[in-house]
Amino acid sequence: MTAPPDTVSWRSISPRYFWLRLGVLAAWTLAFVVAAAVAALLVSAWFLLIAFAGVALGGLRAVFMRRSIRAWGYAERAEDLLVRHGLLVRRLSIVPYARMQFVDVTAGPLERAAGLATVTLHTAAAASDASVPGLEAAEATRLRDRLAALGEIREEGL
């Protein structure tokens, strides 16, 4: 029997992922505020209230984003990989190595610029797929290779 989730050593995602997501949030908030300001000039001054609301909501989202990103974690055990995340609704995914069909590493342009990547584990059941975003590129590659090797070993034992 493997250790329960409370006793494993959890690994967190990169702190740079917060700054990446914060930059994206700032860009969207700025675009929204500019659009509302233009609408205030062209249509009605009431759109300035919408612009201020956009800034307030963007700031609130930034506060919760920090905690949300800290909630991400993963742990490698002998038989499976654990992935946890969520603030209000906590989610714990347990993916057995023998059930993995393939491991995917993706990195969009912003993630590549920040040196980050996302590891996604795919299983036969679509509902049991799990992702770990915001990993350092080297850690994502190491995790992918380890999971692929463990998946092959477990598959041979069946």
Side-chain angles (χ1 to χ4, degrees):
M1 179 168 160
T2 59
D6 295 338
T7 61
V8 298
S9 176
W10 290 98
R11 299 181 75 166
S12 60
I13 62 177
S14 173
R16 286 188 296 185
Y17 189 63
F18 168 73
W19 296 107
L20 174 74
R21 295 279 310 271
L22 187 64
V24 170
L25 176 65
W28 280 107
T29 302
L30 179 64
F32 180 80
V33 168
V34 167
V38 168
L41 290 173
L42 298 176
V43 179
S44 171
W46 285 100
F47 281 97
L48 283 178
L49 289 176
I50 294 173
F52 289 127
V55 170
L57 288 174
L60 188 62
R61 175 65 185 126
V63 169
F64 284 111
M65 184 186 304
R66 180 78 160 172
R67 296 197 61 211
S68 174
I69 289 174
R70 284 185 181 169
W72 276 96
Y74 67 99
E76 301 170 59
R77 297 194 303 183
E79 301 293 325
D80 49 29
L81 179 78
L82 306 176
V83 179
R84 70 175 182 191
H85 63 92
L87 275 180
L88 295 176
V89 177
R90 294 276 188 176
R91 179 173 178 158
L92 174 65
S93 298
I94 302 173
V95 183
Y97 299 134
R99 303 278 174 130
M100 288 187 305
Q101 290 186 328
F102 68 96
V103 181
D104 196 16
V105 176
T106 58
L110 295 177
E111 284 180 309
R112 282 194 309 270
L116 300 174
T118 298
V119 174
T120 305
L121 301 109
H122 299 276
T123 63
S128 64
D129 290 355
S131 293
V132 183
L135 294 177
E136 302 282 338
E139 173 62 10
T141 302
R142 183 204 66 80
L143 185 59
R144 178 202 59 205
D145 293 344
R146 183 170 190 284
L147 293 175
L150 286 170
E152 288 176 7
I153 290 169
R154 300 295 186 266
E155 191 174 75
E156 288 173 3
L158 294 177

